[in-house]
Structure formats: C-alpha cells, structure tokens
Amino acid sequence: MRGELVFAIRLYGEAIKLAPNNGILYSNRALAKLKAMDASGCLQDSMVAATLDPTNHKALHRCATAKRQLGMLESATGDLKRAIALAKQPKERLQLQEDLKQVTADLEAQKRAFQKAKQEKEAKRAATNKSFKYKGGLTIEEHSDEEDSKDGASAVADKLQQFEMTAARVVARVQQQAPSARDAFEVQRKEALAEHAKQLHQLQQERARQQEQQQQQAHKQELARKQVKEQQQQSAVSPAAAAPPSTPAAANATASASGATQPPPATPAAVASPANSSTAAGAADPFAGMGLEEVKKKGADMFQAREWEGAKAAWEYVLQHAQPQGPLAIAVHSNLALLHVQSGAAEQALAHATAVMEATSPRDNTFHKALHRRALALTKLGKLEEAMADYRELNKLRGYSVQVENEMNALSERMCQSVPSASPAEPSTSPQQQQQQQQGQERSRKQYL
C-alpha cells in the first residue's frame, strides 16, 4: 500500500508539471500524502489547491485534516466552516460537520493545555527569579532562559505562517510557468492525437480486410447455393417435361386417332378468372402464408416421417427466401446435407455440407455436424481418403464419439478391402458394413437434426 501511494504521488507530480495551475491535481496529491502519513506535504498541497480554486471544498477539508494532525486546530476550524458552506452534497456536509465538532473539542482541550502550561511556567518563573538591589536605587532581576521561549500558541501561529508563505510562493511560481507548461501539454496532446489517428487508420484497414474476406466467403456460398439449386433442378426434370410440347392440333389429332373426345378449349374469361388464378397460385406455392421458421419445422416433421421429397421441398423453399448468410439458411443447408446423405444424393449432400463449413467457425457445433455429414457424403462417393481425413479432423475438434469411431472402423475396412478395379462412384460394401452405415446414418439423423 505504501508503494502504491508513493507511485501515485509521483504520477501526480508529473501531471502537475504539465498543468501546474490545476488545483484538482494538487488536491488529489494532498490526499495521497495524507494517506501516506505526510501531514506537512498534505497541508502544503491542499493550501495551494485552495488558493488556485477557492471553491474546492475537498481541498479545504484535507487542509483542515492536515492542520489538525499538526496541532493547528484554530485554523482548521476556519477551513472546515468554509468547506461546509461550499459543500453541496448532504452526506459530505454531515461529514464536515462531524469533523468540525471533533476539531472544536480538540481546540478547547488544546486551549486548556496551553493555559495550564502558561500558568505553570509563570509560577516556575516567579519561584526562580532573583532580584539584586544596589546602591543608588538600582535593581537587577535575574530570569531563567525559558522565559524567552514562546508559548505553544505562538509557535503554532508561526508554523502556520511559514506554510502560508510557502504556498503563496508556489502559487506565484506555477502561475508564471502555466503558459510554457500549457504549450508543452499541447505538443504532447497533438502527438497523442496523431498516434491515435494512426491506430484508427490501421483498425479501419483491418476492418476493410475482414469485410473483403466476408464478401469473398459470401460469394463462395452464393456460388455453392446456385450449384445446389442447379443440381436440384436437373434432378427434378421429369420425362413429361423433357418431351416436346404438343400443339392443340396435334392433341386433337391424337385424340381422333384414339377415338377419345377432347374437351373444348378454355375461354379467355375462364383463364383470366381470379378464382382460377388464386387456385393455381395456391397449388404452385404450398407454403404460402407460412413463416420461414414454420416451414423449416414442417420440413423437419416430414424428415422424421421419412417423407424425403416433402422435407426437401420445404427446406429448399426456406433457402430461396431466407438470407443467404443468415443462421436460418445455414441450419437449412445442414439439414439438407443430412437429407441427401439419407436419400443417397451424395453430391448434393457434399455441396450443402461445404456451404455450412464455409459460413461457420471450426469451434461451432454446426461446423462439426457439417464436417460429419461431408464425411458421410465422401464415403458414399467412394472418396475414402478424403472421408477419413474429415473423420480425423472431427475427432480433433469434437473429441471421441462412439458413432464416429464405428464409422471410421467401417471405413478403414473398406479402404483395406478396396481393389484398384473398383469404381469410385460405386464402391463394393459387405452387408455388415452397409448395416453399420445405415445404423450410423440413422443415429446421425436423430442426433443432429
């Protein structure tokens, strides 16, 4: 504690050099000196602070406290009365009034002690004084050396006067030094501002670099999403859609050949009917009027019921309307990765899992799920080395898992049993390995959805 006070006093001294006419700095250093049991130093600084700022009631309070410790009680009462008049907070005013009562009691006791000492001194002097009478009426009295010494009150007054003179000299000196100190402070302030501007520029550059990286990452995610969408559109092409459109004449000809009667064509009024258009819109958008979270939950219910196409349609609807980089889109990408792993669309599962990993951090649990699903997709694609690398990375990030360990063991057996002539896209697996994979996928579906 003592070392901290000395350090604080030194720092206040350095601050005073920069702003020598700042009364608050002197007042704070006075408090530090008071706590360090330096009453004389506290009195000196608090008197300077009170001279520089007569409205500083804290400086007057510390001045009175130091005077009380030095025995200058009468002057301390005056300082406390001034501080009470300046204090605005009721709590501070009550504390000052309590201190004033104690100082007043000490002052009465001090006066009694000084009076008693004076009486004892006079009695002693009367007893020791000697008078000698000579011829011609000349009388010479002999006094002791103690008579020339001043009493206690006079000594206190002289000591207080010395402090006041010293404080006045300090105030006069700091007022002369204030302009030059202000210039030095201004130079240091400009240097600090320049350094701050430099750091701010560096921070802005770092933020710009991070934003550029985020934009690049977002662009990659968008490309991956488009790729997934194109693959989904290609897989959704039906033979009927691939056939060339038939004209009404051709349809009639076919109907005539088969002996069937074609219904008459719809009138323009019927085509433009609002009821018909609303019915078509409802059929085209089965999730109209539902929120994205509600659609996502509906897809999860369908997935639990093994309705793959319904879950896929719901989650793809969410992807089309959600923010590409938002948490909802990331969660749906992760769900679609698992769905495609379960349904056997390994390429699409790989694309969705990769999109999740590019948008999340390796510390996130979502990243771990995507890494696991990517390993499953790679296994289905026959990319066994890459799948094993993902499994090992998953163990490092998430720790030991019985399910992952079993899948790795099955993958190791496949890698040992694989032959060069085997096609990567259609790797041969034993019934036991297929059963283990199906069990792992089922556990993954229940655990990570």
Side-chain angles (χ1 to χ4, degrees), residues 83-380:
I84 292 172
L86 294 172
K88 297 180 180 180
Q89 298 294 332
K91 186 176 180 180
E92 294 179 347
R93 193 178 297 110
L94 290 174
Q95 181 64 39
L96 291 170
Q97 291 173 352
E98 184 65 25
D99 291 349
L100 180 59
K101 291 180 182 179
Q102 296 178 3
V103 173
T104 302
D106 293 344
L107 178 61
E108 294 297 330
Q110 186 187 62
K111 287 182 177 180
R112 291 193 297 268
F114 283 166
Q115 186 66 24
K116 183 178 180 181
K118 184 177 180 180
Q119 292 176 357
E120 291 177 353
K121 186 176 181 179
E122 291 178 352
K124 185 177 181 180
R125 182 179 61 186
T128 56
N129 287 349
K130 298 179 181 180
S131 300
F132 298 93
K133 295 183 178 180
Y134 297 91
K135 293 180 180 181
L138 178 64
T139 302
I140 300 176
E141 295 182 356
E142 182 179 354
H143 302 279
S144 63
D145 296 338
E146 295 179 358
E147 295 178 10
D148 298 332
S149 60
K150 297 180 180 181
D151 57 4
S154 300
V156 169
D158 292 344
K159 191 173 183 180
L160 178 60
Q161 186 179 8
Q162 293 177 1
F163 277 104
E164 291 175 348
M165 292 174 62
T166 304
R169 288 195 297 268
V170 172
V171 171
R173 185 178 71 252
V174 299
Q175 289 178 348
Q176 293 177 357
Q177 296 176 351
S180 59
R182 192 181 303 112
D183 294 340
F185 175 75
E186 187 66 21
V187 171
Q188 293 186 1
R189 187 182 71 86
K190 290 181 179 179
E191 292 177 353
L193 289 176
E195 181 64 23
H196 176 70
K198 181 180 178 181
Q199 295 177 358
L200 181 61
H201 179 66
Q202 294 176 354
L203 180 60
Q204 291 175 349
Q205 289 182 339
E206 179 65 20
R207 288 180 178 175
R209 186 181 63 81
Q210 293 177 358
Q211 290 178 356
E212 184 179 357
Q213 291 179 353
Q214 292 175 358
Q215 291 176 357
Q216 293 177 355
Q217 186 176 5
H219 180 66
K220 292 180 179 178
Q221 294 175 3
E222 184 65 19
L223 292 178
R225 191 177 70 86
K226 289 182 178 179
Q227 181 180 2
V228 170
K229 189 174 181 180
E230 291 175 358
Q231 292 176 355
Q232 293 170 355
Q233 291 176 352
Q234 292 176 0
S235 62
V237 175
S238 62
S246 59
T247 62
N252 292 333
T254 305
S256 300
S258 61
T261 303
Q262 280 286 48
T267 62
V271 174
S273 172
N276 293 338
S277 61
S278 61
T279 304
D285 189 0
F287 308 109
M290 299 175 60
L292 296 181
E293 287 288 348
E294 188 178 358
V295 176
K296 174 177 175 288
K297 184 177 183 303
K298 185 175 181 180
D301 296 338
M302 292 180 178
F303 181 83
Q304 293 288 351
R306 294 182 176 274
E307 298 178 6
W308 308 126
E309 293 300 326
K312 177 182 175 183
W315 286 338
E316 288 178 351
Y317 177 86
V318 174
L319 276 185
Q320 291 175 0
H321 296 83
Q323 184 179 359
Q325 299 179 5
L328 182 60
I330 294 174
V332 171
H333 274 299
S334 180
N335 291 350
L336 283 170
L338 181 59
L339 183 147
H340 290 305
V341 166
Q342 297 287 344
S343 63
E347 288 287 352
Q348 298 181 13
L350 180 62
H352 284 292
T354 303
V356 175
M357 294 174 63
E358 290 177 350
T360 56
S361 170
R363 295 188 297 270
D364 296 339
N365 189 39
T366 308
F367 183 92
H368 302 163
K369 294 180 182 179
L371 183 61
H372 187 195
R373 292 163 190 178
R374 191 175 76 171
L376 293 172
L378 290 171
T379 303
K380 285 182 173 294

